[in-house]
Amino acid sequence: MPLTLYNTLTRRKEAFTPLVPNRVSMYVCGPTVYDFAHIGNARPVIVFDVLYRLLRLEYGADHVKYVRNITDVDDKINARAAERYPDLAPEAAIRKLTEETAAQFHTDIAALGVLEPDVEPRATDHIAEMGKLCDALVQKGHAYVAEGHVLFDVSSMADYGKLSNRSLEEMEAGARVEVAPYKKGAMDFVLWKPSKPGEPAWPSPCGIEGPGRPGWHIECSAMSEKHLGKVFDIHGGGIDLAFPHHENEIAQSRCAHGTPMMAQVWMHNGFLQVEGEKMSKSLGNFITINELLATNKFGSNQWHGRVVRLAMLGTHYRQPIDWTADKLLQARNTLWDIARMMHGNPADKSAPNPEVVAALSDDLNTPKAISILHGLMKSAVRNPDARDEFMATLELLGIYGGESVEDLNPGFEARKVDGARVRTLIAARLDARKRKDFKESDRIRDELSAMGVQLKDAKDPKTGEIVTTWEVRAAGTAEPRS
Ligand code: AMP
Ligand code: ZN
């Protein structure tokens, strides 16, 4: 199946061919670990996991190398570590904080059905490699040393700004930030900077005497080179990273190595908003992955990680996503249907549905893949071959891992709804309505509502009789409908 991917660098969809035949290399910018990851951070993790699964299917698991880094040194990390572990040396303090936070991140994303990347490098394990890049850039005239800093000279690169499609003149004109006096040009960026006492510090490159620490962008140039080579296939991250982070990664890597490109395809996921607003702590709509898995934010019960994943994949990765309770409810209903049908059996190893593979191969069209999946469900119930194919398709999307209806509905045990009692009450309500005792029928509706059961009345077109279906909204049950 030919794979096409939208490339931010060329602003169009392109057929994908690996640089080295039959070997695919992919680098995705991972989290900065100082606190719980939010659900926006979960988006690239899920999106690039689907791409990883698709690439493994196409090229074979051993032929795809996926690197997703951990940023474990930065101002926020340094400040938080100093506050939390004042008795430790700064380097040990950031290590302790970032190890704890990374462990939490791993627990959170494992629940989302995410495969582990092949390599998960940490920035602080690549300080020597970053120093070498700084040395090479200064030697080649692309960087300079000023007041203990190493700065990249953007005017030394003819096509700086190509990824974000801006010219250097435009950027300089728009630069609002106060320009540090030691910079030659307003857009020159930091590769290395001096450390103040109490900040983590390492021996500086480029003959600088005092200790220092790396800038942000240089870490990804160093880690991608070490684990994937000077030029590789796919580089991904959220759209906020296109400028300046990825633009600067390209500048560093290409100028240090004298290569025409850093990665062939640059992919960026759109941003996630919550109920129409930018996620922010002050707006109170800042949701961590952990909270979503464990608490009651949306007035319903907890959400299973696979439900979160399916809800996320309902929107194409390049579109912004508005995260709503409704998306989660819809995803849960779909997964309930799947779980009821599959009886919790793990996937059988057969080939996934070709139409779904084709949809994913078209720049990861997950909404289309999911709609095809809905259509496949019916035949999968009846036909064992279709069922195996369906299972393999679920696995390709990573949306189902053999969970039962109860698993998909955390809190089920604690708040189980008695299905027989619900049915008796519904029958009594219908009786009351026939007698036109609306006071009693409303009372029964309220009683059910208090149990978390929502009713829906519809007229049977053939008999004209009222048929009531029910669904559990707040509490859990294995039998949402009668
Ligand atoms: P950070 O920890 O901020 O470095 O971000 C880790 C990854 O999450 C990066 O690829 C970001 O682009 C991505 N990201 C951060 N916030 C959001 C958001 N609200 N929606 C989608 N992706 C995001
Ligand atoms: Zn990066």
Side-chain angles (χ1 to χ4, degrees):
M1 199 74 63
L3 172 62
T4 52
L5 297 170
Y6 182 87
N7 189 351
T8 309
L9 194 59
T10 56
R11 276 159 271 280
R12 56 185 158 85
K13 274 202 241 177
E14 294 170 344
F16 174 73
T17 319
L19 291 163
V20 178
N22 230 19
R23 298 257 157 213
V24 184
S25 44
M26 172 162 85
Y27 185 95
V28 173
C29 294
T32 306
V33 283
Y34 64 98
D35 208 340
F36 285 99
H38 60 67
I39 51 170
N41 300 136
R43 196 171 188 197
V45 171
I46 292 171
V47 162
F48 291 102
D49 181 64
V50 173
L51 179 56
Y52 183 43
R53 286 167 186 260
L54 180 67
L55 291 167
R56 284 160 64 100
L57 175 76
E58 293 294 314
Y59 294 92
D62 296 342
H63 293 234
V64 184
K65 190 166 178 187
Y66 173 25
V67 180
R68 188 188 62 217
N69 75 291
I70 286 196
T71 297
D72 64 349
V73 55
D74 113 306
D75 289 345
K76 288 194 206 106
I77 292 174
N78 302 346
R80 179 74 54 95
E83 191 185 293
R84 192 165 301 172
Y85 302 113
D87 298 336
L88 292 181
E91 298 78 19
I94 61 166
R95 190 80 194 188
K96 192 162 161 59
L97 172 73
T98 57
E99 271 174 4
E100 286 162 5
T101 316
Q104 182 63 54
F105 173 71
H106 290 144
T107 307
D108 289 344
I109 64 165
L112 304 173
V114 168
L115 300 174
E116 282 178 28
D118 297 289
V119 189
E120 194 176 47
R122 290 171 149 264
T124 55
D125 290 338
H126 297 75
I127 300 287
E129 288 83 353
M130 295 185 220
K132 277 195 196 124
L133 280 175
C134 291
D135 287 334
L137 287 166
V138 170
Q139 266 165 28
K140 293 186 178 187
H142 290 291
Y144 55 93
V145 174
E147 295 184 21
H149 296 71
V150 184
L151 293 141
F152 188 93
D153 177 359
V154 292
S155 71
S156 75
M157 185 187 188
D159 56 355
Y160 180 78
K162 204 172 156 198
L163 180 73
S164 48
N165 202 19
R166 319 173 201 206
S167 72
L168 192 50
E169 293 76 42
E170 271 166 28
M171 287 190 246
E172 277 171 349
R176 284 175 291 125
V177 279
E178 235 174 85
V179 179
Y182 48 80
K183 281 193 187 179
K184 284 191 201 162
M187 299 309 293
D188 292 355
F189 59 89
V190 170
L191 302 174
W192 188 267
K193 55 190 161 190
S195 293
K196 297 187 199 80
E199 288 177 343
W202 293 268
S204 296
C206 309
I208 296 168
E209 273 201 8
R213 58 203 163 99
W216 172 29
H217 317 301
I218 193 81
E219 67 177 68
C220 289
S221 285
M223 289 186 275
S224 61
E225 182 196 353
K226 172 144 182 200
H227 300 286
L228 297 175
K230 292 183 169 67
V231 179
F232 54 96
D233 290 313
I234 300 170
H235 194 313
I239 189 67
D240 57 319
L241 299 186
F243 187 85
H245 185 52
H246 290 164
E247 196 75 73
N248 292 349
E249 280 186 36
I250 292 175
Q252 296 159 163
S253 295
R254 281 185 48 201
C255 292
H257 307 314
T259 41
M261 63 168 140
M262 178 185 184
Q264 334 183 43
V265 188
W266 289 80
M267 293 177 69
H268 294 101
N269 64 268
F271 243 47
L272 176 145
Q273 294 200 312
V274 174
E275 302 278 357
E277 298 199 78
K278 186 178 187 297
M279 221 186 330
S280 85
K281 287 207 166 116
S282 58
L283 288 172
N285 63 353
F286 184 94
I287 305 168
T288 65
I289 305 171
N290 194 255
E291 276 175 320
L292 197 61
L293 298 174
T295 63
N296 210 340
K297 275 269 153 173
F298 283 125
S300 184
N301 48 326
Q302 307 155 1
W303 301 98
H304 192 277
R306 303 276 177 171
V307 171
V308 173
R309 180 180 177 110
L310 179 59
M312 194 79 84
L313 294 176
T315 304
H316 187 260
Y317 79 93
R318 280 196 283 128
Q319 299 300 320
I321 185 169
D322 189 24
W323 192 250
T324 58
D326 200 50
K327 284 199 172 73
L328 287 160
L329 281 167
Q330 273 181 29
R332 188 179 61 179
N333 286 346
T334 300
L335 279 175
W336 267 349
D337 288 343
I338 290 172
R340 232 177 268 127
M341 195 178 104
M342 292 297 164
H343 309 298
N345 288 347
D348 232 311
K349 296 291 173 220
S350 84
N353 177 268
E355 279 180 74
V356 170
V357 176
L360 294 180
S361 302
D362 178 14
D363 194 31
L364 290 190
N365 193 341
T366 53
K368 187 168 175 194
I370 292 165
S371 83
I372 298 168
L373 204 67
H374 278 281
L376 294 175
M377 236 186 260
K378 279 204 187 86
S379 53
V381 185
R382 283 182 246 112
N383 169 343
D385 286 343
R387 184 193 152 91
D388 288 349
E389 184 195 81
F390 188 71
M391 269 305 203
T393 312
L394 294 172
E395 178 131 308
L396 175 62
L397 284 160
I399 52 177
Y400 182 64
E403 292 83 4
S404 66
V405 173
E406 289 86 346
D407 294 336
L408 290 165
N409 204 14
F412 167 78
E413 282 307 329
R415 291 183 271 177
K416 187 168 178 171
V417 171
D418 179 347
R421 171 144 180 79
V422 171
R423 279 189 289 274
T424 308
L425 284 169
I426 288 176
R429 174 171 167 270
L430 286 174
D431 255 8
R433 283 172 62 124
K434 273 189 197 137
R435 297 195 308 270
K436 302 215 184 303
D437 184 352
F438 295 116
K439 206 170 157 203
E440 174 64 1
S441 73
D442 284 351
R443 190 199 62 74
I444 297 174
R445 177 184 278 268
D446 290 347
E447 184 179 338
L448 283 162
S449 173
M451 291 162 67
V453 174
Q454 280 201 348
L455 303 181
K456 211 182 203 172
D457 294 322
K459 213 177 230 169
D460 184 320
K462 279 191 204 130
T463 62
E465 298 239 332
I466 297 288
V467 181
T468 303
T469 53
W470 59 283
E471 189 173 38
V472 176
R473 281 265 154 151
T477 177
E479 296 177 273
R481 287 177 202 124
S482 65

